[in-house]
């Protein structure tokens, strides 16, 4: 994919932190890295960030590849991780398309690959080109992935030792494995090439996330619907010392997750459908690992115009501008799936007082705010939405019972009708100085009062989207 497809902003935000391209590589490929990765453009040292580094999930994300890219397999990508030295991306997918690997007597159906946990790991350049692949059979679904660079080689951390399941289901690993990436290699679970770690014996759905910057590894493990996160010191974990620094339960269905500093970022969501129309249901959940509390739940409004948009993959990688949160969507349906990745480098202190108020659209020909301080606005804190407004009718006519004052944008609409209590001007109003509001699932914000009074009405109240 040509660099001309990137904006200057994208190229700056996407540029990885690299070591010399002359370093030995495990793939054995002689192909040089793209010109954008030239050694003379590299910093002399990595950028250090403390454990409280927090990404601003409301910031505009940049497109890493300038568009969707095709990986080696036709199935949905599951997780992505970046070599912190070379900047190459590694992406997991189930082996698909009825492929026959070099040591297999016949093609293997997709359903058998899924029920056994047969993965393809793609090695991808920053231009979006798959330059090598590795096959791992019987390891799992590929929902967790980490990469560390040791002695000039990329080492993969991922799930392993999946138990085969019935046809039509997906196999998930129950332990954590570490293996050197080797181009074109075919390795089975149980091979001596995979170092196995069993931090939570008897668990299932085990996935890792590597935080090289802070010397930690995270493990998410089952059983299903009772998952837990555990965070370990990486060097101790490598010695098979499995005393966690932190442990806490997971909330919500998870597509992918990553550990960075004192935070776990988790994404969830499914593809557009009749039951999940645009703008979809893609959400971010952020945990403070030191307390186990979810400190943020935000709707992901990135790339809403993708015709097929299925939430997959989330990780952190180093760039010339500092750490970057990378996340993506599986696209294209029907047909071979493609991958679209986006990145956020902006940060926030995360405190509620600094969550900005956002203006709401309303009909200025019909309604007038009391002042600039009362223009309709909202603020989102997790799944809670606060609304602030004070409006009068421009023509001075009375308010009508059940009047729709404005329509909320899709990403802050509730999943059920919720009632709110607002206030009135008090001038010429008999009885209570409050009015009843409702916010409906279609986003309609309506006021209910049968007194047909004039003057302003206000709302300073909140509701929950779910």
């Amino acid at each position: 994919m040509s660099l001309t497809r990137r904006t200057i902003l994208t190229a700056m935000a996407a540029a990885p932190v690299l070591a010399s391209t002359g370093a030995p590589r495990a793939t054995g490929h002689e192909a040089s890295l793209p010109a954008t990765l030239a050694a003379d453009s590299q910093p002399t040292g990595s950028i250090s960030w403390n454990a409280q580094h927090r990404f601003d999930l409301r910031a505009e994300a940049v497109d890493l590849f300038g568009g969707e890219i095709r990986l080696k397999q036709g199935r949905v990508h599951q997780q992505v991780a970046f070599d912190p030295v070379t900047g190459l991306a590694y992406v997991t997918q189930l082996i698909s398309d009825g492929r026959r690997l070099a040591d297999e007597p016949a093609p293997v159906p997709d359903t058998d690959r899924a029920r056994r946990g047969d993965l393809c790991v793609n090695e991808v350049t920053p231009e979006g080109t798959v330059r090598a692949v590795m096959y791992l059979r019987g390891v799992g679904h590929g929902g967790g992935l980490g990469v560390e660079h040791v002695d000039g080689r990329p080492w993969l951390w991922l799930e392993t030792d999946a138990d085969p399941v019935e046809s039509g289901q997906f196999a998930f690993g129950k332990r954590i494995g570490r293996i050197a990436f080797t181009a074109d290699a075919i390795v089975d679970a149980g091979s001596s090439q995979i170092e196995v770690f069993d931090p939570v014996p008897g668990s299932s759905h085990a996935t890792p996330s590597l935080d090289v910057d802070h010397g930690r590894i995270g493990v998410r493990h089952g059983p299903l619907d009772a998952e837990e996160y555990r965070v370990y010191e990486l060097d101790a974990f490598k010695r098979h010392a499995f005393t966690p620094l932190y442990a806490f339960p997971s909330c919500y269905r998870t597509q992918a997750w990553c550990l960075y500093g004192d935070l776990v970022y988790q994404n969830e969501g499914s593809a557009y459908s009749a039951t999940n129309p645009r703008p979809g249901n893609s959400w971010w959940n952020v945990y403070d690992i030191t307390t186990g509390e979810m400190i943020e739940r935000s709707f992901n409004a990135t790339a809403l115009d993708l015709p097929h948009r299925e939430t997959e993959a989330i990780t952190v990688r180093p760039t010339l501008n500092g750490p970057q949160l990378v996340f993506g969507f599986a696209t294209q349906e029907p047909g071979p799936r493609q991958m679209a990745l986006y990145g956020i480098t902006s940060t926030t202190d995360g405190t509620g007082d600094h969550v900005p108020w956002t203006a709401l659209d309303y009909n200025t020909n019909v309604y007038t705010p009391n002042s600039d301080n009362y223009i309709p606005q909202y603020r989102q804190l997790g799944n809670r939405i606060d609304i602030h407004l004070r409006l009068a009718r421009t023509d001075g006519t009375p308010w009508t019972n059940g009047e729709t004052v404005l329509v909320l944008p899709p990403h802050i609409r509730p999943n059920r009708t919720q009632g709110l209590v607002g206030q009135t001007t008090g001038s010429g109003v008999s009885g209570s100085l409050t009015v009843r509001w409702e916010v409906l699932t279609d986003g309609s914000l309506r006021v209910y009062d049968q007194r047909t009074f004039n003057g302003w009405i206000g709302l300073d109240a909140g509701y929950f989207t779910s």
Side-chain angles (χ1 to χ4, degrees):
M1 185 169 293
S2 170
L3 249 189
T4 59
R5 295 188 62 185
R6 295 186 187 177
T7 64
I8 294 177
L9 175 62
T10 301
M12 290 176 62
V17 175
L18 304 172
S20 170
T21 55
R25 291 193 39 75
T27 62
H29 285 238
E30 299 301 325
S32 62
L33 295 177
T36 54
L37 308 184
D40 60 7
S41 69
Q42 300 156 21
T44 57
S46 62
I47 301 174
S48 176
W49 295 89
N50 64 37
Q52 283 73 47
H53 185 95
R54 181 170 174 181
F55 297 100
D56 184 356
L57 301 181
R58 294 170 179 80
E60 184 176 357
V62 295
D63 186 337
L64 265 60
F65 297 126
E68 305 158 55
I69 67 169
R70 173 74 192 276
L71 299 171
K72 190 67 172 180
Q73 309 299 311
R75 298 293 290 268
V76 168
H77 74 281
Q78 296 297 322
Q79 181 59 304
V80 61
F82 291 82
D83 187 316
V85 174
T86 67
L88 293 168
Y90 294 84
V91 188
T92 56
Q93 292 176 287
L94 284 173
I95 301 174
S96 65
D97 308 318
R99 291 181 186 272
R100 174 186 176 185
L101 302 185
D103 64 346
E104 294 172 342
V108 178
D110 289 8
T111 53
D112 284 350
R113 297 293 192 191
R115 73 175 191 84
R116 296 188 326 204
D118 294 355
L119 293 183
C120 170
V121 181
N122 301 258
E123 183 183 68
V124 185
T125 72
E127 291 296 298
T129 301
V130 178
R131 75 173 209 162
V133 295
M134 181 179 186
Y135 298 102
L136 300 169
R137 293 182 298 212
V139 295
H141 197 60
L145 184 65
V147 180
E148 62 175 336
H149 196 96
V150 179
D151 297 330
R153 306 185 70 181
W155 288 77
L156 309 178
W157 289 81
L158 73 173
E159 65 190 282
T160 191
D161 295 350
D163 291 327
V165 293
E166 295 181 1
S167 182
Q169 299 181 11
F170 296 112
F172 296 89
K174 58 181 183 286
R175 300 183 181 92
I176 305 302
R178 179 178 182 264
I179 185 172
F181 180 86
T182 305
D184 301 323
I186 303 171
V187 181
D188 291 303
S191 166
S192 60
Q193 296 181 57
I194 304 177
E195 182 179 5
V196 176
F197 303 83
D198 194 10
V200 191
S203 67
S204 60
H205 293 73
T207 55
S209 177
L210 205 61
D211 179 6
V212 175
D213 283 0
H214 301 98
R216 292 171 175 173
I217 184 172
V219 174
R220 175 185 166 97
H221 67 95
L224 189 64
D225 297 327
E227 289 90 350
E228 179 187 54
Y229 289 109
R230 296 190 179 190
V231 178
Y232 304 85
E233 196 268 329
L234 180 57
D235 287 342
F237 194 92
K238 287 183 175 181
R239 298 193 303 269
H240 296 256
F242 301 131
T243 301
L245 301 172
Y246 308 101
F248 54 95
S250 169
C251 300
Y252 299 102
R253 178 177 178 267
T254 301
Q255 290 291 74
W257 68 281
C258 69
L259 167 70
Y260 193 76
D262 285 344
L263 302 175
V264 159
Y265 295 86
Q266 169 187 301
N267 64 11
E268 60 168 303
S270 51
Y272 294 144
S273 66
T275 57
N276 181 39
R278 296 174 188 272
N281 59 359
S282 184
W283 288 83
W284 280 303
N285 304 310
V286 185
Y287 299 82
D288 182 335
I289 67 172
T290 66
T291 64
E293 294 182 358
M294 183 185 294
I295 58 175
E296 182 175 359
R297 178 168 165 79
S298 298
F299 182 79
N300 185 348
T302 306
L304 295 176
D305 58 344
L306 286 173
H308 183 88
R309 178 178 178 269
E310 185 173 351
T311 307
E312 300 287 352
I314 188 168
T315 190
V316 176
R317 68 166 183 166
T319 77
L320 296 175
N321 294 326
Q324 182 181 59
L325 183 71
V326 176
F327 60 95
F329 303 97
T331 68
Q332 303 297 322
E333 175 68 23
R337 301 299 184 89
Q338 297 190 34
M339 177 179 73
L341 291 185
Y342 303 87
I344 292 174
T345 53
S346 300
T347 62
T348 177
D349 62 11
T351 57
D353 289 343
H354 293 272
V355 175
W357 288 90
T358 301
L360 288 165
D361 290 333
Y362 67 101
N363 191 335
T364 57
N365 293 322
V366 178
Y367 306 110
T368 302
N370 274 17
S371 70
D372 289 343
N373 293 327
Y374 293 104
I375 293 172
Q377 297 175 311
Y378 78 91
R379 184 174 69 176
Q380 181 175 9
L381 294 168
N383 66 341
R384 178 182 169 88
I385 308 298
D386 291 311
I387 295 181
H388 170 73
L389 62 83
R390 190 172 290 182
L391 298 172
R393 293 186 61 88
T394 57
D395 60 6
T397 58
W399 294 93
T400 60
N401 189 43
E403 184 170 338
T404 297
V405 176
L406 56 82
V407 177
L408 301 171
H411 67 278
I412 62 169
R413 296 174 183 176
N415 63 0
R416 64 186 185 281
T417 297
Q418 295 188 44
L420 309 171
V421 176
Q423 60 278 160
T424 73
T425 177
S427 175
V429 177
S430 61
S432 172
L433 298 183
T434 62
V435 294
R436 182 169 65 91
W437 294 78
E438 283 188 357
V439 55
L440 281 60
T441 57
D442 65 0
S444 299
L445 183 64
R446 295 178 181 173
V447 61
Y448 291 88
D449 197 288
Q450 297 177 334
R451 291 174 289 180
T452 61
F453 60 85
N454 297 314
W456 60 260
I457 58 172
L459 181 63
D460 287 284
Y463 63 92
F464 294 93
T465 56
S466 61

